[in-house]
Amino acid sequence: AWGVAALTGLAEPLGALVGVAVLGSLPAFYPLGLALAAGAMLFVVSHEIIPETHRHGFEGAASATLMGGFVFMIWLNAAFA
């Protein structure tokens, strides 16, 4: 199991190297790369993590903490802007 986990973890540094190779010399495309990464994370959260937290009878707590985290991130964005 450790070996399989280590091999799957290699996708991250390899992806980073590909990203640097593709976008490293084109700073105008940095926002596009960041938007694609953010979209991938939103997909994972919305299709895997949120449904899993709602399966075991913690719907209220899961929804409240999700909204609390969202509000906190919006507040941080406004505070540091």
Side-chain angles (χ1 to χ4, degrees):
W2 182 88
V4 171
L7 286 175
T8 60
L10 288 176
E12 291 182 30
L14 292 176
L17 291 175
V18 169
V20 167
V22 172
L23 296 175
S25 62
L26 302 169
F29 289 114
Y30 288 172
L32 177 63
L34 292 172
L36 289 172
M41 290 306 299
L42 283 173
F43 176 81
V44 168
V45 168
S46 67
H47 288 336
E48 293 185 18
I49 295 175
I50 292 174
E52 186 65 27
T53 60
H54 284 75
R55 280 196 188 113
H56 303 291
F58 298 107
E59 295 89 3
S63 296
T65 54
L66 176 68
M67 287 297 104
F70 180 75
V71 168
F72 180 67
M73 293 305 293
I74 295 297
W75 177 79
L76 279 178
N77 186 39
F80 291 117

